[in-house]
Amino acid sequence: MNFITLSVIDVTIDRSIRLNHPIDELSHVVGSCNGLLCLADKANELYLWNPVTRQIKDMNGYKYTVVKNSDDDISVAFGFGFDPASSDYKAVRIVQKFDDNELVNRVEVYSLNEDCWKEINVELEIGLVDEPLCREVTGVNGSIYWFARKRPHDFGLVVLSFHMHSLNFCTIQLPDDLSLSPFYRWYDHEIGILQFKEYVALCCQFRGGCVIYTLLDGNCWCKNIYDC
């Protein structure tokens, strides 16, 4: 079995298994796809890990180096997913820095097939994507999704998407009842972006149940309430 080949078996999983990851200074899991995990360490270096074969790949070679000084206001966000158009696993790195009170974005994309990072020229009309809530990220149907602020100093949120084949970003407005909620009120609930069937969805948990908003046709949200 090579690094990116996994078998699909029909089984029922009735217990959890603790995975002993090989990263000494693990920060968080950036994303998972087809059994592969993209991991970030505390130095913001990325690794691709196959827990079945226990192989790990260092995804180093950033084109843009971040040197954090005490006076710098820099944030870094990551995403990971599978591009079905090119049969390639890809990661994206967004570096954001305030320069003279303006938010400057640098974006680069990693291709597993090419085993390298490439910087792309894009303009992001959004604010920060690395707030504690915005660490929620998922890849669905060839695109990666994050929460992001509408503008650098705005408390309003949008969903930011990145199409891994066309290398284009776009923003998606939240469902009406969520977009009317102040940003700080979101911390009262468990909320995240996830894949629900073949769609990207927002899941908001509250006492006694949860609400799942499924994104249909790219801009229409379907709301479903589930009791726990």
Side-chain angles (χ1 to χ4, degrees):
M1 181 180 290
N2 62 33
F3 186 81
I4 62 173
T5 301
L6 290 175
S7 299
V8 178
I9 56 177
D10 184 11
V11 297
T12 298
I13 299 176
D14 57 4
R15 62 189 178 89
S16 62
I17 300 175
R18 184 177 184 87
L19 297 177
N20 296 316
H21 61 80
I23 308 300
D24 292 333
E25 297 291 330
L26 178 68
S27 171
H28 64 282
V29 177
V30 173
S32 64
C33 187
N34 299 332
L36 300 181
L37 298 178
C38 182
L39 310 176
D41 65 15
K42 293 182 180 179
N44 276 336
E45 297 291 338
L46 293 189
Y47 303 85
L48 195 57
W49 181 42
N50 186 329
V52 174
T53 65
R54 300 188 182 278
Q55 291 176 285
I56 188 164
K57 181 173 181 57
D58 189 338
M59 303 163 67
N60 56 13
Y62 296 141
K63 298 301 180 184
Y64 179 67
T65 303
V66 174
V67 180
K68 294 195 77 170
N69 298 318
S70 58
D71 297 332
D72 290 339
D73 192 358
I74 298 176
S75 63
V76 180
F78 297 105
F80 173 74
F82 180 71
D83 175 12
S86 59
S87 297
D88 193 6
Y89 292 89
K90 294 181 178 179
V92 60
R93 177 178 181 251
I94 305 173
V95 179
Q96 299 178 294
K97 177 181 179 180
F98 280 99
D99 189 1
D100 293 331
N101 210 32
E102 290 188 5
L103 186 62
V104 178
N105 299 286
R106 302 285 293 267
V107 180
E108 49 189 322
V109 177
Y110 174 87
S111 162
L112 180 61
N113 287 348
E114 300 179 11
D115 192 22
C116 67
W117 290 88
K118 294 182 180 179
E119 189 168 4
I120 60 175
N121 295 319
V122 294
E123 292 186 6
L124 295 179
E125 301 296 331
I126 51 127
L128 295 174
V129 296
D130 76 328
E131 297 291 334
L133 177 65
C134 304
R135 179 159 285 185
E136 297 290 341
V137 55
T138 194
V140 182
N141 295 330
S143 294
I144 300 173
Y145 298 85
W146 302 261
F147 287 118
R149 295 199 182 195
K150 292 181 180 179
R151 288 174 291 276
H153 302 290
D154 194 332
F155 286 103
L157 292 178
V158 294
V159 173
L160 175 68
S161 73
F162 175 71
H163 193 271
M164 286 180 278
H165 192 67
S166 66
L167 306 181
N168 290 325
F169 285 91
C170 71
T171 56
I172 304 166
Q173 298 300 316
L174 296 181
D176 290 341
D177 47 350
L178 285 183
S179 62
L180 296 176
S181 299
F183 180 80
Y184 63 84
R185 287 288 303 277
W186 286 39
Y187 291 100
D188 295 336
H189 307 284
E190 294 287 338
I191 188 166
I193 303 178
L194 49 81
Q195 181 173 353
F196 182 68
K197 299 180 179 178
E198 68 271 26
Y199 303 103
V200 64
L202 306 179
C203 179
C204 182
Q205 291 182 304
F206 56 90
R207 182 175 299 177
C210 70
V211 179
I212 294 181
Y213 302 85
T214 305
L215 183 63
L216 306 176
D217 300 325
N219 56 12
C220 178
W221 294 99
C222 177
K223 180 179 180 180
N224 293 281
I225 302 176
Y226 298 89
D227 294 328
C228 294

